[in-house]
Amino acid sequence: MTTSADISPTTYDSRTPPRQHVLDLDDFSRAEITEILETSSSMKEILGRSIKQVPALRGKTVVNMFFEESTRTRISFELAARALSANVVGMTAKGSSVEKGESLVDTVRTLQALGADIIVMRHSAAGAPYLVTQHFQGSVINAGDGRHAHPTQALLDLFTIQERLGHIDGLRVVIVGDILHSRVARSNLWGLMTMGAHVTLCAPTTLLGPADYWTSTWPQVTISYNLNDCIADADVIMTLRLQKERQQTGLLPTLREYTNLFGITTERLKCAAPHCLIMHPGPMNEGVEIMPDVVTSMQSVIEDQVTNGVAVRMALLYTLAGSSRHDE
Ligand code: CP
């Protein structure tokens, strides 16, 4: 039988307060991200076994509370919790008492009374997971809140980059597309900067906002309005979904013009280094921000990102459950 010692290559220093929540990467140190990535490698090894399950979270209850659509994040959290032998409950607004007008706070108090240990939460309102932490004694993982943060996506992106290129420190990463509306871009900025990467944000001005909005928080970030200028030096190109549901009209003249200037095409990638990775968090608008032949090209790691999401989310659940183990 696998013990927790088989899963965790490192243990918390007893002087380090255990982490209770994962809300964004702004409060993660480089050492803590490194530890999560190492634990994710151990989890990936478990997922490669014929029996992909260990008893680490037996007796714990994980509630996946998804109040906004999701495929990758929701299913990978469910698989991750099951691989750790947790009890898993899925919940959406539709079909729950939220439809009768129950507030978020009352919903969370109800989940606590029902014995939830960890709430994984997606919500269209930025900050909603922070509110939940004030009314829930267990752990909260932000699975995406509005345009604010998506820390587990950023961690799986970091894991995928490190797995493919061997390191993150010093890499040149271009994040291109609908940055203004992207929680993925914001959390990746915290994670990539903390791990020592050089980040360029590239978008039309209407999808980026004022440059000093970004440079006031991340002074080292480079701003570009021309994708062709960024490609040759890039080690990683992370393209983002054009978020039509979060946009007001008039930000783009036409989708065709956006694709012509900012779409990831085979032609455009002829200038890229052979080792340059192409990433996309999904879901994709194929033919808009990325062409189908790029998605399936040798440089694309988009499927790896999805696969690695399970291992990284296992590592996070394991780490947070470990924080409650300290109290036992
Ligand atoms: N990347 C991501 O969050 O995808 P889903 O919306 O499918 O979960």
Side-chain angles (χ1 to χ4, degrees):
M1 181 188 292
T2 303
T3 66
S4 56
D6 294 318
I7 302 168
S8 179
T10 53
T11 51
Y12 272 109
D13 186 313
S14 59
R15 292 162 300 178
T16 309
R19 168 172 293 279
Q20 186 178 357
H21 307 296
V22 177
L23 302 174
D24 198 358
L25 296 191
D26 55 351
D27 63 348
F28 275 70
S29 66
R30 189 188 284 215
E32 194 179 4
I33 292 177
T34 301
E35 183 169 326
I36 293 289
L37 301 186
E38 286 173 4
T39 307
S40 302
S41 291
S42 302
M43 296 300 175
K44 191 159 181 177
E45 184 274 316
I46 290 167
L47 292 169
R49 298 178 190 169
S50 55
I51 297 174
K52 305 171 178 55
Q53 196 173 47
V54 290
L57 266 66
R58 185 180 289 157
K60 299 281 183 187
T61 299
V62 176
V63 177
N64 285 329
M65 194 165 80
F66 277 69
F67 287 2
E68 195 184 63
E69 301 75 14
S70 170
T71 299
R72 292 152 201 77
T73 314
R74 184 173 59 81
I75 293 176
S76 62
F77 262 116
E78 187 160 335
L79 292 171
R82 288 189 195 286
L84 295 170
S85 304
N87 303 318
V88 192
V89 180
M91 180 190 174
T92 58
K94 192 169 169 51
S96 76
S97 289
V98 173
E99 286 200 316
K100 299 177 194 164
E102 186 164 60
S103 71
L104 179 58
V105 169
D106 277 346
T107 300
V108 167
R109 287 191 185 127
T110 302
L111 295 177
Q112 176 146 298
L114 290 169
D117 295 294
I118 299 177
I119 292 178
V120 177
M121 177 181 187
R122 172 168 289 193
H123 203 286
S124 58
Y130 293 77
L131 174 66
V132 169
T133 64
Q134 293 167 23
H135 301 277
F136 182 63
Q137 287 165 9
S139 293
V140 177
I141 302 181
N142 182 3
D145 61 329
R147 62 167 86 169
H148 170 246
H150 196 348
T152 67
Q153 177 70 45
L155 286 168
L156 74 88
D157 292 341
L158 292 173
F159 182 80
T160 304
I161 293 169
Q162 181 161 283
E163 183 178 61
R164 282 298 188 115
L165 298 181
H167 64 107
I168 300 166
D169 196 9
L171 292 180
R172 288 152 300 185
V173 180
V174 178
I175 303 178
V176 57
D178 188 357
I179 293 165
L180 189 63
H181 301 99
S182 177
R183 55 195 176 206
V184 174
R186 284 171 177 77
S187 288
N188 259 298
L189 267 167
W190 286 118
L192 287 163
M193 290 289 192
T194 300
M195 297 305 285
H198 304 288
V199 180
T200 298
L201 299 180
C202 179
T205 50
T206 51
L207 294 184
L208 193 55
D212 61 5
Y213 169 82
W214 302 99
T215 54
S216 60
T217 305
W218 297 280
Q220 298 89 350
V221 79
T222 302
I223 303 291
S224 172
Y225 304 103
N226 187 327
L227 179 57
N228 293 335
D229 288 349
C230 305
I231 287 181
D233 288 337
D235 299 299
V236 177
I237 298 174
M238 191 180 288
T239 183
L240 301 172
R241 180 171 70 90
L242 203 57
Q243 298 198 28
K244 295 168 197 161
E245 77 275 24
R246 290 191 220 281
Q247 289 187 12
Q248 70 265 37
T249 52
L251 290 181
L252 293 171
T254 65
L255 282 185
R256 182 181 297 183
E257 182 172 319
Y258 177 80
T259 302
N260 283 343
L261 294 174
F262 294 95
I264 308 298
T265 63
T266 302
E267 186 61 28
R268 191 161 262 141
L269 288 180
K270 284 180 181 161
C271 304
H275 71 266
C276 178
L277 304 181
I278 305 300
M279 304 181 79
H280 192 305
M284 294 178 275
N285 298 302
E286 287 190 58
V288 179
E289 70 260 5
I290 190 166
M291 295 302 123
D293 56 341
V294 176
V295 173
T296 54
S297 69
M298 295 297 287
Q299 285 173 286
S300 166
V301 292
I302 295 168
E303 282 189 13
D304 295 33
Q305 290 173 266
V306 177
T307 302
N308 289 336
V310 182
V312 170
R313 286 165 178 136
M314 283 172 74
L316 291 170
L317 291 170
Y318 178 75
T319 300
L320 296 190
S323 76
S324 61
R325 276 199 300 274
H326 286 256
D327 304 331
E328 285 167 0

